[in-house]
Amino acid sequence: MAPSATVEPKSRPGPVRSALERLITSGEIEADPLQRRLADRLDALDRRLSAEIGASKKSALGWLFGQKREAERVKGLYVFGDVGRGKTMLMDMFFRQSSVAAKRRVHFHAFMGEVHERIGEHRRAHKKGEAKGDDPIPPVAEAIAAESRLLCFDEFTVTDIADAMILSRLFKALFARGLVLVATSNVAPDDLYPNGLNRPLFLPFVAVLKQHAEIFELAGEEDYRLAFLGEEDIYVETSDSGADGRIDAAWERLLDGARETTASLSVKGRTIPVPRAGNGAARFSFDDLMKRPLGAQDYLALARRFHTVVVEDVPVMAEAERNEAKRFITLVDALYDCGRRLVVSAEAPANEIYRARNGTEAFEFDRTVSRLFEMRSKDYLEKAASAEARDD
């Protein structure tokens, strides 16, 4: 799918394009014509948002901001392409410089977790007679739209039937209230939720998405994240006779003289034990984290609590271990999105851990492999260390 042609008036480069050009000039990335086009598209979107917000403030009827006719509403942007093409980098540049005050960048899994919590809260309040209306979607959409004018999602993907069934109604209501969505994904809108249960009920969301967001394919040949070479040995293959010693040595450096102890996390009333912890780091076996019924909210809680997570003895997985593979994918996503460090000992190289060729997990694991490579790069580790220092 080729990027849709939207003609913008020529002007000096906007903030996203300027930031991209600085990276090119410094030699940090190679020049990519499609990345430049996407940067210009993001700058154009921010100009439209800024102009609309400015006009609404000047107008005596500014409160009608969310009631514009369909043709007058600002459309968002849905960017898709293979892993490592620079989608997240450009969206983050856009988010940082956007003139919109009420904006939010959030992991899709975390956002949907919050949505389900809000729906549950409304239903409980309605049951007690404390809320009007038995349909929770309108008030939930109203609350979200009141908090954010611009919503940015990284790695938009739909695998959960509970999410799939509410997305169409939720986002139709959000868009009607003026929310603008910018999202990145590995797949085109028509390929979301492939082979999902009751997929025909999900398809109206695709139509709503296309109506309210322009679609841009960021194609290319090079995975920019895989171009980084890790400078620290934080991915250890267990075939190495010294693997255990190297993981232990890494753990000792993480502890930095602190006492090792046990810990626990409380997530929605459930307790997740942390068998080994110290100095802001946590250490688990693969079975501790992947063979228990844990989900995105659990792994996000883990990422928020610990700056570094050690996972030992990751085995080679096949289709029979698709549940474990899905949890591993979700763990890596959570740690990556929070900028945390991951130390791994595994039975095989990252690109050989999951060997199934069918199913959603096989497709999503390509992203996991790319992220595992980036998470051992010097640049990523330095950013993680800086974030850790700010947390302290």
Side-chain angles (χ1 to χ4, degrees), residues 87-95 105 153-154 182 184:
K87 304 183 297 293
T88 299
M89 173 187 73
L90 286 160
M91 186 186 73
D92 284 346
M93 288 177 179
F94 165 76
F95 181 79
R105 185 213 188 275
F153 285 143
D154 188 27
V182 174
T184 72

Side-chain angles (χ1 to χ4, degrees), residues 275-289:
R276 304 178 70 176
N279 198 32
R283 185 171 177 176
F284 300 88
S285 71
F286 178 85
D287 289 0
D288 290 333
L289 288 179

Side-chain angles (χ1 to χ4, degrees), residues 75-92:
K75 283 191 174 183
L77 197 59
Y78 179 97
V79 183
F80 76 97
D82 291 339
V83 296
R85 301 308 182 209
K87 304 183 297 293
T88 299
M89 173 187 73
L90 286 160
M91 186 186 73
D92 284 346

